[in-house]
Amino acid sequence: MHFISQDLEDYIEQHSGKEPELLAALNRETYQKILLPRMLSGHFQGRVLSMLSKLIRPINILEIGTFTGYSALCLCEGMQENGILHTIDIKEELVDFQRKHFDKSPWGKQIVQHLGEAIEIIPNLDVTFDLVFIDADKENYINYFELIVPKMNKGGVILSDNVLWSGKVLEPLNPKDISTKVLLDYNNLLINDPRVETVLLPIRDGLTVSRVL
């Protein structure tokens, strides 16, 4: 997922907002204790998520794919005082790890964890959202999008992670590679769907910002 040199990535981080200590500690513990730690958003992308959230000032946030909770805490930084963040993940073994770090933050009581399949959970959320972050199994990105759009407030923003898929979106498609096929279809959907306006940012592994019209 690295499309620019490590030196340039380091320069970008040095000239972006400092990583809060709470998130730095979560970053370290994720790399020490959790499998596939590279799934964590990390310093630069985390600051991007934080900045977007602060610009949007959401009341209700939905995150699909919690992992260890780093991105959730970044999104909370822009949430209004009466806001709630709902985050969904299928990994039961990470629930307590997430909660430990959530409760160390100022937003512990405003973060609701949902354990299970997002496709089953989203229809039962009786709330409309100002900000959504999709960062889960790629095979269901289109399904998530279709479930989410009716629950978005006008002007709300849907963020979609990993949409460049380590550059595989430009390579000849392997028929057995379902994730890449779905992402190609998803990227085409976002740019053509009249319900949203979209810009794809070359941040980390690709981050799409879609504003609901």
Side-chain angles (χ1 to χ4, degrees):
M1 66 174 66
H2 295 282
F3 301 110
I4 61 176
S5 70
Q6 186 61 53
D7 287 343
L8 197 52
E9 286 192 5
D10 292 342
Y11 182 88
I12 290 169
E13 286 196 4
Q14 292 162 10
H15 292 82
S16 298
K18 184 179 179 182
E19 184 179 41
E21 181 51 41
L22 173 67
L23 291 175
L26 172 52
N27 195 333
R28 288 192 298 270
E29 189 169 354
T30 297
Y31 272 83
Q32 290 168 353
K33 300 179 180 179
I34 306 299
L35 291 174
L36 301 175
R38 66 193 292 268
M39 291 174 58
L40 182 138
S41 290
H43 176 190
F44 173 57
Q45 187 179 32
R47 292 305 86 204
V48 172
L49 296 177
S50 170
M51 180 66 75
L52 289 171
S53 185
K54 289 170 181 174
L55 291 170
I56 296 164
R57 296 293 292 142
I59 295 177
N60 292 316
I61 304 173
L62 172 63
E63 178 184 55
I64 305 173
T66 315
F67 193 46
T68 56
Y70 190 101
S71 54
L73 292 172
C74 293
L75 295 169
C76 282
E77 292 180 30
M79 186 168 61
Q80 295 189 35
E81 289 185 6
N82 61 333
I84 296 291
L85 181 142
H86 294 266
T87 186
I88 305 171
D89 206 283
I90 61 171
K91 294 183 178 179
E92 184 176 1
E93 66 271 20
L94 292 178
V95 171
D96 291 342
F97 186 97
Q98 298 159 5
R99 176 49 59 185
K100 179 180 71 171
H101 290 279
F102 290 160
D103 287 345
K104 291 179 180 179
S105 79
W107 311 285
K109 295 181 180 179
Q110 296 168 267
I111 299 175
V112 180
Q113 294 165 282
H114 299 270
L115 178 64
E117 297 286 347
I119 286 181
E120 298 173 1
I121 293 170
I122 293 170
N124 295 314
L125 295 176
D126 187 19
V127 61
T128 57
F129 296 100
D130 307 298
L131 177 60
V132 173
F133 182 43
I134 305 175
D135 186 18
D137 57 311
K138 312 313 164 192
E139 293 87 346
N140 276 307
Y141 265 37
I142 293 174
N143 296 326
Y144 296 148
F145 179 80
E146 296 295 351
L147 288 172
I148 288 165
V149 171
K151 292 180 174 288
M152 295 297 297
N153 293 319
K154 185 176 180 180
V157 172
I158 300 171
L159 305 174
S160 308
D161 200 16
N162 304 118
V163 291
L164 295 179
W165 208 222
S166 298
K168 291 182 181 179
V169 292
L170 292 181
E171 298 173 358
L173 180 64
N174 181 339
K176 296 181 180 180
D177 187 350
I178 304 301
S179 294
T180 301
K181 174 64 167 63
V182 172
L183 282 173
L184 287 167
D185 292 341
Y186 182 67
N187 291 340
N188 286 331
L189 170 64
L190 292 185
I191 198 61
N192 291 299
D193 195 310
R195 296 171 294 179
V196 297
E197 57 180 348
T198 290
V199 60
L200 198 165
L201 304 176
I203 293 172
R204 202 161 179 252
D205 196 24
L207 179 70
T208 298
V209 181
S210 302
R211 178 177 174 269
V212 178
L213 302 175

